Amino acid sequence: MSRQVVPEARVARAAAPFRQFIVKVHGHCNLACRYCYLYEGPDHTWRTRPAAAGPEVLDQAVARIAEHAARHALTRVSLVLHGGEPLLAGASRLADCAERLRDRVPENCAVHATVQTNATLLTGERIATLARHGITVGISLDGGLARHNTLRTDRAGRPSWPAAARGARLLADQHPQAYAGILTVIHLAHDPIETYESLLELRPPALDLLLPHGNWSTPPPGLPTRGTPYGDWLCTVFDRWWTAGRRETRIRLFEECLALLLGLPAATEALGTEPFTAAVIETDGSIEQVDALKSAYEGAARTGLDVFRHSFDQALRHPGVAARQAGLAALAAQCQACPLVTVCGGGHYAHRYRAGHGFTNPSVYCADLQRLIRHVAARLAASAARTPGGAAR
Ligand code: SF4
């Protein structure tokens, strides 16, 4: 049963259509990372689902996405081929899924397809197949050195790093145009500058630096504490990146923080108050909310809907989805009164959970987010002051 606390008045505003569709083409993984919230966390729904999405599920998912794109006259949708490890389904099946969606959406709707992989199964042939079909490749790593990735092992405890590093280098060398970037969960034990510089060695066009999933009832590693270890870690990387003139790579969290500070819209799950517009299709066709919610409690991402019986418009009316589209109105009173709220937005939804209170709380990373946002604002203001006639707009 859902434990989300969403008063009716907060879900009444018009829904923004989904624009990102995360399709679980394969629900299992060839790795068994020791911190994985999907397989080691409180949610076990993956155990009862088919390992891979069958052709009928992928067909119906594609039909529903196309239907949603047509109904809302979308000019662009994002298709994220996800897992588990999606390459366990084979590169050809991923290509087929992307091509079928391109065939089904209205003519003026572009499909941006990405596969999110642990990189261990990337071969020259598979990368070429993905690139040929216009699928970009996002890689998940804990850093750019073997010792950053010691928790990323297979079920027998063998390190994934040699294969993952080989896959990332193949991608950077052979098909840089298909390289979407690297997603890295922050580990406080890893030096921030060393982590950042080691990732740069893998030549990613973009980096996602993610806070580990946790909440008030199951705090992330290192919290609670009187300090701001995650904020400090991020500020250190920010200074390194900012000083280099931001040319080395894009860092989405920082770019979005800067955009929000300048009053620009930023589509991010981690910051801001823009409606969240991603939906997940599981291997059995279930429509769910994003995986991160599974770090809160068993079934937290469930909607009870599926692509065979329900449209994505019906999913938009689910209270959990609506709560993530309600902006300021859905935030805790403390966040609504916070001077940083237009930038922070209460942080990642999953990080607000407290057992017995649902998600209407500040982020468990509140102090760390304040540290980062104030630091970025100060650097931005100092930079604007140095620019002739410049003031941050
Ligand atoms: S989580 Fe903290 S910093 Fe963010 S809006 Fe809420 S009170 Fe402000």
Side-chain angles (χ1 to χ4, degrees):
M1 200 166 95
S2 170
R3 283 183 263 177
Q4 287 165 335
V5 180
V6 187
E8 269 307 302
R10 293 182 177 173
V11 300
R13 88 177 195 182
F18 291 116
R19 293 173 190 278
Q20 185 182 68
F21 301 88
I22 300 161
V23 178
K24 301 292 194 81
V25 281
H26 205 289
H28 292 182
C29 190
N30 60 327
L31 299 186
C33 303
R34 272 173 267 160
Y35 57 85
C36 180
Y37 66 90
L38 260 191
Y39 303 114
E40 306 294 333
D43 186 278
H44 302 109
T45 48
W46 63 275
R47 288 184 181 158
T48 57
R49 294 203 159 108
E56 70 292 349
V57 169
L58 294 178
D59 273 353
Q60 188 60 23
V62 159
R64 287 296 190 191
I65 297 169
E67 173 189 67
H68 198 66
R71 192 168 287 167
H72 294 276
L74 301 180
T75 55
R76 186 178 194 276
V77 294
S78 165
L79 173 69
V80 183
L81 301 157
H82 214 279
E85 171 46 53
L87 281 169
L88 286 173
S92 304
R93 178 169 282 200
L94 305 183
D96 185 55
C97 185
E99 292 300 347
R100 280 181 198 218
L101 181 58
R102 289 191 181 110
D103 287 346
R104 297 286 291 266
V105 293
E107 214 171 296
N108 64 344
C109 179
V111 174
H112 179 243
T114 307
V115 58
Q116 189 63 39
T117 174
N118 60 39
T120 58
L121 301 177
L122 284 175
T123 61
E125 196 180 334
R126 289 179 182 139
I127 296 169
T129 300
L130 296 170
R132 199 165 53 247
H133 292 276
I135 300 173
T136 58
V137 182
I139 291 176
S140 303
L141 293 172
D142 287 351
L145 297 175
R147 69 187 144 82
H148 295 154
N149 288 277
T150 52
L151 298 179
R152 297 180 70 80
T153 62
D154 69 10
R155 275 167 221 296
R158 290 173 298 220
S160 66
W161 173 250
R166 190 169 53 244
R169 291 197 180 102
L170 267 177
L171 179 61
D173 288 343
Q174 296 183 3
H175 292 280
Q177 80 287 0
Y179 197 173
I182 298 178
L183 179 158
T184 291
V185 176
I186 297 168
H187 289 264
L188 293 177
H190 301 162
D191 179 78
I193 298 297
E194 181 189 71
T195 302
Y196 174 64
E197 291 183 344
S198 66
L199 288 167
L200 284 183
E201 294 287 314
L202 298 172
R203 289 171 280 152
L207 279 181
D208 270 324
L209 298 175
L210 305 183
L211 293 164
H213 289 317
N215 54 63
W216 292 103
S217 299
T218 311
L223 293 184
T225 173
R226 261 203 279 273
T228 52
Y230 289 95
D232 298 345
W233 198 101
L234 284 165
C235 289
T236 304
V237 178
F238 178 84
D239 284 344
R240 166 71 176 76
W241 176 76
W242 183 256
T243 305
R246 294 168 280 154
R247 285 181 298 272
E248 294 170 326
T249 190
R250 303 181 60 195
I251 301 185
R252 265 186 272 262
L253 180 67
F254 299 158
E255 289 183 345
E256 285 161 357
C257 187
L258 288 162
L260 288 161
L261 283 165
L262 292 168
L264 303 169
T268 167
E269 196 177 3
L271 295 174
T273 56
E274 288 288 305
F276 185 63
T277 56
V280 174
I281 299 102
E282 288 284 351
T283 56
D284 61 356
S286 299
I287 299 173
E288 294 215 333
Q289 301 181 75
V290 291
D291 280 345
L293 296 191
K294 294 176 180 173
S295 63
Y297 58 87
E298 168 88 24
R302 199 178 283 151
T303 66
L305 310 177
D306 64 72
V307 291
F308 294 102
R309 296 176 302 148
H310 305 100
S311 67
F312 283 110
D313 271 15
Q314 287 171 285
L316 285 176
R317 293 195 283 275
H318 183 273
V321 175
R324 302 200 63 189
Q325 296 215 339
L328 273 179
L331 298 183
Q334 186 181 330
C335 292
Q336 291 189 26
C338 173
L340 302 180
V341 69
T342 53
V343 179
C344 175
H348 195 297
Y349 192 73
H351 303 164
R352 302 175 202 166
Y353 180 72
R354 186 191 289 275
H357 296 263
F359 291 88
T360 316
N361 310 294
S363 169
V364 71
Y365 287 107
C366 178
D368 295 273
L369 291 168
Q370 291 191 35
R371 164 91 170 99
L372 174 67
I373 294 165
R374 291 187 199 284
H375 182 79
V376 173
R379 293 299 305 257
L380 188 60
S383 168
R386 281 197 303 274
T387 307
R393 282 184 286 271

